[in-house]
Amino acid sequence: MKAKESPLETAGESRAAPDNGAAEYGTDAIKVLEGLEAVRKRPNMYIGDVGERGLHHLVYEVVDNSVDEAMAGRCDEIDVAIHGDNSITVLDNGSGIPVGPHPTVKGMDTLDVVMTKLHAGGKFESNAYKVSGGLHGVGVTCVNALSEWLKVEVYRDGKVWSQRYERGHPAGKVSAVGETQRRGTRVTFKPDPTIFEVKEYSFEALSGRLRELAFLNAGLKITVEDERSGKKHEFLFKDGINEFVRYLNKNRQPLFDRPISLHGEVETERGTATVDIALQWNDAYDEKVFAFANNIHNHEGGTHLIGFKTALTRTINAHGQKNNLFKDLKDELPGGDDMREGLAAVIALRLPGASFEGQTKTKLSNTEAKSMVETMLNERLGSYLEENPNVAKRICAKVAEAARARIAARKARETVRRKGALDGASLPGKLADCQSRDPKESEIFIVEGDSAGGSAKQGRDRRVQAILPLRGKILNVEKARFDKMLSSAEIATMITALGTGIGPEEFDVEKIRYHKIVIMTDADVDGSHIRTLLLTFFFRQMPQVVEKGYLYIAQPPLYRVAKGKKERYLKDEAAMDEWLLSAGTEKAALHSDGGAIAGEDLKALAQDALAYRALLERADRRRDKRILDAAIQLGDLDLQLLKDHDAVKEQAERIPARAQKLYPELEVRHVRVERDEEHGCHQLLFETQVAGAPRETRLDFDYLQGAEWTELAALHGALMEIGPGPYQLRVDGAEEEVGDVFAAVEALKRMASAGQTIQRYKGLGEMNPDQLWETTMDPERRTMLQVRVDDTVEADEVFSVLMGDAVDLRREFIEKHALDAQNLDI
């Protein structure tokens, strides 16, 4: 908007400021954001962003404090739990945050100071922590500021000290709430949904980071559990980063038995810095090098990684030339990429006063780190190669083979390019390109087969959407060398269409022609296989495409519902339930002795019933849902009751009886009441039979105060507000008796589907061009999944096992996860 033009000023008159709607800029315009208000106003400054990365960073900040305790020798166990409501608990057995009046901040407890004051911490001096990942004293304070609520419990000096905060503000004073023999700190928090764009935690992302921390801190036991899915990982590595390297190579064939382990110490102005490096080559072709500083994974590398790469290339080339091991390469010495082909390596630097770029610490910036790593690696690796000539020969042979393959690949590329297959100037004939040449707005759909490709070409927006149909299944690049991969016509076509080139010498992600690469395949076995082969290609050959967020998977609808001329498309089972309940409750009413509910209230009741059943199914991965359902329905079991031995014994009889009434097939083999000394109460243990195997369900203090039990109880309470059944369900004059709310939900869904034509799609070819555009390709209405890698190490392992040559490992994987499979197309 332009400002108004002002009339020319006349002599002796002052010219008025243009009226652009802005208030006068005076002293009252200068605002001072105090304490946590600054964090809530500008969270990106402290945790990077308010998306997925920032959400997970909250957990890392709390865990890093516990790891710092471990590095100081005061902690050897850390437990992390993701609860059903996406709240997080981090528990350690460290010394516990200090409690008591703070010596300099009058009127405040030290715990309160740590949790609410920025730049308050024990890491500014080197007395309590010699080396730590936390440098700014803002970590746990930021977590508190950005949480809807946070509860901290400190186990120290024989007492349990507790404090709760709401959006960073204390909800009460620090107080002793019990006695204990434990020591350590428990922090439970729920990120504030009004701040974060992403609400769901990724178990894989958290597990990957915690596994790294366990590798980097030998002897530290870290457990992570996801109460939403039942997944649980326990990490304990006695041999530190040497085990990390062995883990990276566990699905590969190493060139030698033991990883090369190198250690060095350097005195700095701030104290002693240590450099630990473990490395081992394997028979594969990809490179896996991880760089850490003070336990922080530096995803973007930094000065220590630069020093490592420089020294590695120089040292191996020097040894190879000295011992005439590269003679067949003539005048071309191996390069850095050749040195790192098939290399698994971990660099762990512990540096007092480490400096990172940004609060999220993705890149180390200390200039001395480069020379520190470079000098140590030159000396130690050079000596190792001289002292272990057989290992040195294998390494140099691997490097020479990589150099020869690189030269051969270069020649193969030139041959293929001469045929026009990789020439970006002549795009492949089967590509229906878009009109736009701006990669930021351009999309390419990689489609399975000519039939779906034809529909996609007719239905697309030609200006910004390109279509590339693939014929059949592409080559599995996990099992193929580079030159064989280039000989595949389908892969060469895809490389040409994307425009990035291929291989370490030529690939440039900045040259990519589309910022959205969409894999669009059928929802059957063949479609899943093609999608997996494409994901393997991008993960192995174009990982930067995934890292940049350019790769997507189309989500065509699973259902089409039609009645007369009206039709709608529904994404999945959940969307189908939502639609059926909306339609079913329009003219329905549920009558009980306490009255009747209808419309939106009835729909909300039905949604609570579905949520309750879904939560029970999730809980069943760890505890028998039938026991939980019975205990919740009885409604008597709570934390207070656990203190009464007679009342607990009564529950031990009532819960199994109720469960067997609800589930006649249930076999309860044994029930025990045990003393819980840690919390001064009792706990219940039920042993049931599931699929012929015994299963134990524990109802104790920790579970009853956890998020899952709390949410189950709340949902059941909402369901019971209508009063006990049976009920009368009335729809358009018709009436049906239902025994409970769950039966009412099924009846509503059945009534809503009457007279409707419900079609379940399996292939894109079942849709005409208009339907494909409307449901899957229209940016205004479509849903797509963005492909990302939360845990690089675990992703590498899965691709190696499922797509590699090791048949035994694949069989073992299938047997292990067979019961988790759903919706099998057989």
Side-chain angles (χ1 to χ4, degrees):
M1 182 185 296
K2 290 183 180 179
K4 280 185 182 179
E5 291 185 8
S6 300
L8 292 175
E9 54 187 288
T10 57
E13 293 178 338
S14 64
R15 184 175 179 175
D19 179 13
N20 59 6
E24 184 180 350
Y25 181 56
T27 55
D28 58 347
I30 305 300
K31 303 295 183 186
V32 178
L33 296 178
E34 294 287 348
L36 304 190
E37 186 186 355
V39 182
R40 292 183 61 82
K41 255 322 191 196
R42 299 287 185 267
N44 292 20
M45 291 177 58
Y46 297 87
I47 59 168
D49 62 34
V50 291
E52 184 175 12
R53 186 179 67 165
L55 183 76
H56 289 77
H57 191 74
L58 296 185
V59 184
Y60 305 150
E61 287 286 6
V62 181
V63 170
D64 284 347
N65 288 342
S66 298
V67 173
D68 289 339
E69 282 282 287
M71 291 169 67
R74 299 191 290 264
C75 168
D76 62 7
E77 287 189 16
I78 302 172
D79 297 317
V80 178
I82 310 172
H83 302 300
D85 63 348
N86 272 280
S87 62
I88 296 284
T89 291
V90 179
L91 169 67
D92 67 46
N93 66 343
S95 54
I97 300 173
V99 179
H102 193 272
T104 59
V105 184
K106 293 184 178 180
M108 287 189 71
D109 192 279
T110 304
L111 176 60
D112 215 346
V113 172
V114 169
M115 301 303 297
T116 61
K117 297 294 183 184
L118 291 174
H119 309 291
K123 299 163 191 175
F124 300 109
E125 303 293 339
S126 60
N127 298 328
Y129 300 93
K130 300 294 182 186
V131 174
S132 74
L135 303 174
H136 312 100
V138 300
V140 74
T141 316
C142 284
V143 176
N144 191 17
L146 300 176
S147 295
E148 180 181 347
W149 55 263
L150 181 147
K151 182 181 179 183
V152 58
E153 288 183 356
V154 175
Y155 311 109
R156 191 178 172 109
D157 302 328
K159 292 186 177 181
V160 181
W161 303 87
S162 181
Q163 171 79 306
R164 181 182 170 91
Y165 306 86
E166 294 175 1
R167 292 187 166 87
H169 299 290
K173 292 185 177 181
V174 177
S175 57
V177 295
E179 297 182 352
T180 183
Q181 301 301 313
R182 302 177 63 167
R183 63 185 179 88
T185 305
R186 182 199 297 263
V187 176
T188 302
F189 66 92
K190 184 176 183 181
D192 192 338
T194 65
I195 290 177
F196 289 92
E197 297 167 357
V198 176
K199 313 294 190 292
E200 295 277 330
Y201 274 104
S202 162
F203 177 79
E204 285 72 24
L206 294 181
S207 177
R209 170 62 180 149
L210 296 173
R211 185 195 299 111
E212 290 172 354
L213 289 171
F215 276 127
L216 292 165
N217 296 271
L220 175 61
K221 179 181 175 182
I222 302 181
T223 303
V224 55
E225 181 176 10
D226 188 348
E227 293 181 356
R228 303 166 304 178
S229 65
K231 293 181 181 178
K232 184 176 182 178
H233 289 170
E234 186 177 289
F235 307 120
L236 174 62
F237 306 107
K238 303 286 187 181
D239 202 16
I241 63 172
N242 293 322
E243 282 195 68
F244 197 166
V245 169
R246 282 195 287 270
Y247 180 84
L248 294 172
N249 279 337
K250 74 175 185 176
N251 297 314
R252 304 278 197 268
Q253 183 60 49
L255 298 188
F256 42 92
D257 292 338
R258 295 183 178 180
I260 300 170
S261 181
L262 308 172
H263 174 79
E265 295 185 359
V266 180
E267 291 300 325
T268 71
E269 292 181 358
R270 293 174 179 250
T272 304
T274 62
V275 181
D276 288 281
I277 298 174
L279 58 167
Q280 185 183 44
W281 280 261
N282 58 58
D283 62 348
Y285 317 120
D286 54 322
E287 157 194 345
K288 290 175 283 189
V289 178
F290 293 81
F292 300 86
N294 294 1
N295 286 322
I296 305 298
H297 185 188
N298 309 123
H299 294 274
E300 297 179 41
T303 49
H304 51 344
L305 184 59
I306 294 170
F308 171 81
K309 290 182 176 181
T310 303
L312 184 73
T313 304
R314 182 189 301 133
T315 304
I316 294 178
N317 263 331
H319 183 86
Q321 286 181 289
K322 178 182 175 182
N323 294 279
N324 206 23
L325 299 175
F326 297 143
K327 56 185 177 182
D328 59 336
L329 294 177
K330 298 180 181 179
D331 297 330
E332 186 168 349
L333 280 175
D337 291 324
D338 303 325
M339 299 292 168
R340 299 189 300 276
E341 183 177 290
L343 172 65
V346 177
I347 308 149
L349 182 67
R350 293 196 174 177
L351 181 66
S355 179
F356 303 93
E357 292 186 9
Q359 166 67 6
T360 51
K361 308 160 189 169
T362 54
K363 190 174 184 179
L364 183 71
S365 57
N366 295 70
T367 53
E368 68 271 25
K370 178 180 181 295
S371 58
M372 203 180 293
V373 173
E374 201 171 334
T375 302
M376 191 278 274
L377 189 60
N378 275 329
E379 294 175 358
R380 304 287 198 279
L381 183 58
S383 299
Y384 178 92
L385 296 175
E386 291 293 338
E387 295 166 6
N388 298 270
N390 290 333
V391 173
K393 285 179 182 177
R394 292 177 193 171
I395 293 171
C396 289
K398 171 72 175 177
V399 170
E401 181 190 7
R404 285 192 294 272
R406 173 175 52 81
I407 295 166
R410 184 197 305 152
K411 293 177 180 177
R413 255 196 315 266
E414 290 168 356
T415 301
V416 175
R417 188 175 284 111
R418 279 197 298 273
K419 296 178 181 178
L422 291 177
D423 185 3
S426 56
L427 294 171
K430 62 168 59 181
L431 171 69
D433 204 8
C434 57
Q435 296 166 354
S436 174
R437 292 294 174 264
D438 181 0
K440 293 179 181 177
E441 67 174 6
S442 300
E443 308 173 347
I444 183 170
F445 289 81
I446 301 175
V447 184
E448 172 191 350
D450 292 332
S451 174
S455 293
K457 287 177 185 177
Q458 293 178 55
R460 66 178 173 141
D461 178 353
R462 294 173 181 271
R463 192 181 72 81
V464 293
Q465 292 179 333
I467 309 296
L468 179 64
L470 296 180
R471 182 175 298 172
K473 296 173 182 176
I474 70 165
L475 180 73
N476 179 7
V477 300
E478 187 73 18
K479 300 180 181 179
R481 284 214 73 141
F482 194 79
D483 50 351
K484 183 181 179 183
M485 181 190 73
L486 288 180
S487 67
S488 166
E490 297 298 306
I491 288 181
T493 297
M494 196 159 49
I495 294 167
T496 307
L498 296 179
T500 58
I502 196 71
E505 290 183 317
E506 187 176 288
F507 179 83
D508 184 357
V509 74
E510 298 303 322
K511 293 181 180 178
I512 199 162
R513 302 179 64 243
Y514 314 93
H515 279 191
K516 279 193 175 67
I517 302 166
V518 186
I519 299 172
M520 191 160 71
T521 59
D522 292 343
D524 58 10
V525 171
D526 285 339
S528 297
H529 192 195
I530 292 169
R531 183 165 62 246
T532 303
L533 290 167
L534 287 167
L535 290 171
T536 305
F537 168 77
F538 283 107
F539 181 76
R540 291 299 186 205
Q541 296 298 329
M542 294 185 176
Q544 296 93 327
V545 169
V546 181
E547 291 166 10
K548 290 274 190 180
Y550 295 160
L551 189 61
Y552 294 82
I553 296 174
Q555 294 289 284
L558 195 60
Y559 292 102
R560 172 180 172 268
V561 180
K563 187 173 184 179
K565 294 184 178 180
K566 293 183 178 180
E567 63 178 20
R568 68 170 58 229
Y569 300 92
L570 301 169
K571 176 189 169 187
D572 51 24
E573 298 283 354
M576 173 61 84
D577 283 343
E578 171 70 20
W579 180 81
L580 288 174
L581 289 179
S582 294
T585 55
E586 273 185 6
K587 299 178 181 179
L590 190 65
H591 293 259
S592 69
D593 291 342
I597 60 171
E600 287 299 316
D601 291 338
L602 180 55
K603 182 181 175 183
L605 182 71
Q607 287 173 331
D608 284 343
L610 291 176
Y612 179 80
R613 283 285 169 88
L615 187 54
L616 272 181
E617 290 298 327
R618 288 208 305 268
D620 193 53
R621 292 165 177 149
R622 296 172 311 285
R623 293 172 172 82
D624 195 319
K625 67 181 180 183
R626 299 169 295 184
I627 295 293
L628 292 181
D629 193 15
I632 287 287
Q633 289 201 32
L634 285 172
D636 299 327
L637 193 59
D638 58 22
L639 293 175
Q640 192 63 34
L641 185 142
L642 288 181
K643 297 177 181 179
D644 185 335
H645 181 264
D646 292 338
V648 174
K649 285 203 72 173
E650 183 182 344
Q651 290 293 312
E653 296 175 0
R654 294 181 66 208
I655 291 173
R658 182 60 174 265
Q660 286 170 326
K661 184 176 180 182
L662 293 169
Y663 304 93
E665 81 286 358
L666 174 64
E667 181 183 344
V668 181
R669 300 176 62 178
H670 195 58
V671 183
R672 299 196 310 275
V673 175
E674 293 183 355
R675 178 71 182 169
D676 180 354
E677 297 294 346
E678 183 180 329
H679 297 100
C681 60
H682 300 83
Q683 56 187 356
L684 286 159
L685 290 94
F686 302 87
E687 187 179 302
T688 56
Q689 190 90 353
V690 178
R695 184 176 195 184
E696 185 178 85
T697 297
R698 182 186 301 267
L699 300 181
D700 57 7
F701 181 91
D702 286 337
Y703 185 66
L704 264 60
Q705 75 161 353
E708 186 172 85
W709 176 270
T710 303
E711 189 175 354
L712 279 169
L715 284 169
H716 186 264
L719 297 177
M720 291 299 100
E721 286 180 5
I722 191 176
Y727 313 111
Q728 300 298 319
L729 181 62
R730 298 173 187 170
V731 183
D732 280 341
E735 186 172 302
E736 178 179 338
E737 184 173 286
V738 290
D740 55 30
V741 173
F742 305 106
V745 170
E746 294 306 313
L748 284 168
K749 289 164 64 175
R750 185 181 68 252
M751 293 173 182
S753 60
Q756 309 277 358
T757 301
I758 300 177
Q759 178 183 3
R760 191 182 192 278
Y761 287 115
K762 286 189 70 175
L764 298 171
E766 297 178 39
M767 297 184 192
N768 62 41
D770 289 342
Q771 289 175 327
L772 192 58
W773 162 257
E774 182 182 338
T775 63
T776 314
M777 299 178 69
D778 181 1
E780 297 296 323
R781 288 178 282 189
R782 71 190 179 193
T783 300
M784 296 196 303
L785 295 180
Q786 186 178 48
V787 178
R788 61 176 187 269
V789 179
D790 289 331
D791 184 348
T792 306
V793 177
E794 189 166 345
D796 175 82
E797 179 185 358
V798 170
F799 277 110
S800 299
V801 170
L802 296 184
M803 308 302 289
D805 290 315
V807 177
D808 290 343
L809 289 174
R810 186 153 50 250
R811 183 187 300 115
E812 182 183 327
F813 180 93
I814 292 170
E815 289 173 352
K816 180 180 178 181
H817 296 284
L819 296 179
D820 296 332
Q822 296 179 354
N823 301 323
L824 288 178
D825 184 7
I826 54 177

